[in-house]
Amino acid sequence: MVSYLSFAALLLCSRSARAFAPPRLPPTVAQRHASFQLFMALDEQMEARLEGITRSYNALTERLGDPDVIGDANLLRQVMSDRAQSEEVVEVYQEYCVLKEEWEGAKELFQGNDAEMKEMARAEMKEIEPQMEELEAKITILLLPKDPNDSRNVMLEIRAGTGGSEANIFAGDLLDVYRKYISANGWQASVIDSSPGDDGGYKSVTLDVKGDMVYSKLKWEAGVHRVQRVPATESQGRVHTSTATVAVMPECDEVDVKIDPKDIEMNTMRSGGAGGQNVNKVETAVDLLHKPTGIRIKCTQERSQLKNKELAMKMLMAKLYDIENEKREMEERERRGSQVGTGGRSEKIRTYNWKDSRCSDHRLGQNFPLSQFLNADIGPIIEAMIAKDQEEKLKALTEETAAV
C-alpha cells in the first residue's frame, strides 16, 4: 500500500509536469489487495494535529461573534486572517472524516456472513478508498510549511538593467504585464515611485500592490528578466539583449523592522515638474539615506513633505525587510538543497525571445508562448513554480519522516 506521503509526492510530480493546465489531483496509483486488508488512513499523530487545528478554527469562528472583537477593527481583521489560514485544511479534513466513517461502516458489513452484503461492501470500499487517498495527499500538501509572508501585500520594483534605452522600454513592458495580472486577480496597485526613460519605458518604477495573498504569487517573479529582440531604434535589424530586474518586497511595519533614527539622514528639496505652485516652490520632496546599508530613496510622489517622509520610510522598511527575508530564504533553500531557485534579484529567471515567440523559464526548464506572457496569462507559470516548490518541501518531509 502506498503511504499518503508517497502518494502526495506522485501527485506533485504530476502537477509540476503540466505547465499549461491548472494543477489537479490525479487518480490513485495504489493497487489494492483482493483480501481488502486494513486501509492505510492518516496516522494518529497526523489526526491529532488536524483535530487541534479544527479546535482552533472553531474557537476563532466563535470569536467572530464576540462584541469585543467586532468592536476592534484591527483585532477583527487579525482573527479573520488567522481563521482563513486554516479554513481549507479544516474543510478537507471534515470531508475526509465523513468518508472514513463511511469506509469503516462498509468494512464492518464486509466482515459479516451475508455474501450479498459483503459484495456491496466490497464495491463501496473500492469506491471510497481512492477518494480518501486523494484527500490524504491534499491534507499533506496543505500542512506543508508555509511562507509566513504569503498573505502580505507587496512593493513591486522594476528596474532597467543592461541595454540602455531598450532596457527602459522592456521595464515598461514588464510593468504593463504586471498591471494586467494584478487587475485580473482583483488586486489594487498604485505607483509610488517612478523614473521615466528618455525614449520611453522606465529606468525604475515601484508599485504598491494590495490584495489577497499577493506575495504568495508575485514572489515567483523576482529576479532578472532578459529580453532578446530587435529594438525599435535599431536600423540594422540586429537582435539586442537587454535585462530588467524585478524585486518583490513584502509589506512590513515597525514591528518587523527596527530602524535607529541615528542611522537615517534625511534632506528635503523641491519636487519640480508638473503639479502646481506648491510642488515647485515648497520643499515637499524627500531624499532619505540609510547609512548602514547605503540605501537611498527619493520621494516626490506626494504633494506634502510629511506624506513623502512616510512613504520614504515605508519603502525603506520594505527594502530592509526584503534583505533579511532573502537571507532567511537562502539559508532554508541551501538546507534542503532546493532547485527551485534563490528568489534573489540577481538570479536570471526568464528569457523572452521575440524572434522565436518564446518565453523560457530557467527555473522550470520549460518554454511558454511569448504571447501568453505578454497577455499577462502568467498564472500557469506561477502555479508550476508553486507545485515545484511544494514537491521539494514534500520530498524533504518524506526524508525526515523516513529518518525517524
Side-chain angles (χ1 to χ4, degrees):
M1 179 68 67
V2 179
S3 71
Y4 55 85
L5 279 175
S6 300
F7 182 75
L10 289 169
L11 162 65
L12 283 170
C13 286
S14 174
R15 284 175 59 180
S16 61
R18 293 192 296 273
F20 298 98
R24 61 179 182 178
L25 292 170
T28 178
V29 296
Q31 298 298 318
R32 290 162 181 80
H33 300 293
S35 60
F36 282 90
Q37 63 184 18
L38 182 62
F39 178 68
M40 181 174 287
L42 296 173
D43 59 37
E44 292 182 2
Q45 184 179 4
M46 182 75 82
E47 287 209 10
R49 182 181 174 188
L50 289 164
E51 288 292 338
I53 292 173
T54 301
R55 286 193 296 272
S56 298
Y57 175 81
N58 291 336
L60 290 168
T61 302
E62 290 180 5
R63 289 194 70 191
L64 291 176
D66 187 335
D68 292 337
V69 175
I70 295 173
D72 188 331
N74 291 330
L75 181 57
L76 178 61
R77 192 181 304 110
Q78 184 61 52
V79 172
M80 291 178 67
S81 175
D82 292 344
R83 181 179 179 274
Q85 289 179 14
S86 56
E87 185 172 15
E88 186 177 4
V89 70
V90 168
E91 289 178 351
V92 175
Y93 178 55
Q94 289 174 343
E95 186 180 351
Y96 172 84
C97 289
V98 171
L99 286 176
K100 183 182 178 184
E101 188 175 343
E102 292 176 359
W103 185 88
E104 289 175 345
K107 176 175 175 288
E108 189 175 342
L109 288 175
F110 180 76
Q111 292 173 337
N113 297 321
D114 189 315
E116 185 176 350
M117 293 298 291
K118 283 174 69 75
E119 189 58 36
M120 289 176 60
R122 181 195 300 272
E124 185 175 358
M125 292 169 71
K126 190 175 181 180
E127 181 181 352
I128 291 173
E129 286 175 5
Q131 298 177 52
M132 289 182 67
E133 283 193 342
E134 288 182 1
L135 291 177
E136 288 167 1
K138 191 170 184 180
I139 287 170
T140 303
I141 292 169
L142 288 171
L143 291 179
L144 288 175
K146 292 181 174 59
D147 188 331
N149 293 316
D150 276 352
S151 61
R152 295 187 184 228
N153 298 322
V154 306
M155 286 189 183
L156 176 68
E157 180 187 71
I158 306 170
R159 189 174 292 275
T162 57
S165 296
E166 171 63 8
N168 297 340
I169 294 171
F170 178 50
D173 293 341
L174 290 176
L175 176 63
D176 291 340
V177 168
Y178 292 133
R179 274 179 161 163
K180 291 176 187 175
Y181 181 70
I182 288 166
S183 177
N185 278 275
W187 302 335
Q188 302 296 320
S190 58
V191 176
I192 58 175
D193 185 37
S194 65
S195 176
D198 297 333
D199 299 314
Y202 293 89
K203 296 176 182 177
S204 67
V205 58
T206 304
L207 293 179
D208 187 13
V209 187
K210 299 182 182 297
D212 182 39
M213 303 296 288
V214 175
Y215 184 75
S216 69
K217 296 180 179 180
L218 286 181
K219 67 181 179 182
W220 303 109
E221 294 301 302
V224 177
H225 297 243
R226 185 176 69 169
V227 62
Q228 295 176 325
R229 64 184 179 187
V230 179
T233 55
E234 171 57 53
S235 59
Q236 302 297 320
R238 292 173 297 184
V239 173
H240 288 222
T241 298
S242 305
T243 63
T245 302
V246 174
V248 182
M249 300 168 283
E251 189 177 75
C252 63
D253 52 33
E254 292 86 352
V255 176
D256 301 304
V257 179
K258 300 293 184 183
I259 300 177
D260 189 337
K262 296 178 183 178
D263 293 335
I264 299 294
E265 182 179 304
M266 189 176 298
N267 297 305
T268 58
M269 56 188 175
R270 296 177 186 177
S271 292
Q277 293 182 353
N278 183 67
V279 170
N280 294 304
K281 294 184 177 180
V282 180
E283 292 189 343
T284 58
V286 169
D287 182 3
L288 180 150
L289 173 66
H290 185 247
K291 290 182 281 189
T293 60
I295 294 175
R296 188 165 201 154
I297 298 172
K298 293 182 180 180
C299 271
T300 63
Q301 295 297 116
E302 302 295 339
R303 299 187 65 182
S304 78
Q305 186 183 109
L306 178 60
K307 288 184 178 180
N308 277 323
K309 282 183 178 180
E310 291 174 350
L311 184 57
M313 287 300 296
K314 181 179 179 180
M315 293 173 69
L316 174 62
M317 285 191 294
K319 286 179 179 290
L320 293 177
Y321 184 75
D322 184 52
I323 291 172
E324 291 302 315
N325 190 52
E326 189 173 341
K327 287 180 182 177
R328 288 193 298 269
E329 288 185 351
M330 282 289 291
E331 290 171 359
E332 173 61 20
R333 290 178 188 279
E334 288 175 2
R335 184 186 70 80
R336 58 181 224 234
S338 175
Q339 298 299 313
V340 173
T342 65
R345 61 191 65 187
S346 61
E347 178 191 15
K348 184 179 72 176
I349 65 168
R350 286 199 204 112
T351 296
Y352 308 91
N353 188 298
W354 250 248
K355 180 182 177 182
D356 297 331
S357 297
R358 183 182 67 234
C359 165
S360 303
D361 193 291
H362 305 297
R363 300 161 299 179
L364 294 170
Q366 295 177 6
N367 295 325
F368 302 83
L370 180 62
S371 59
Q372 178 181 342
F373 179 81
L374 295 178
N375 291 327
D377 184 17
I378 58 177
I381 305 176
I382 290 174
E383 289 290 348
M385 284 299 305
I386 292 172
K388 188 175 179 65
D389 183 56
Q390 288 176 338
E391 182 183 338
E392 293 196 354
K393 287 179 179 177
L394 185 59
K395 180 182 177 182
L397 178 62
T398 306
E399 291 173 351
E400 289 173 6
T401 303
V404 174

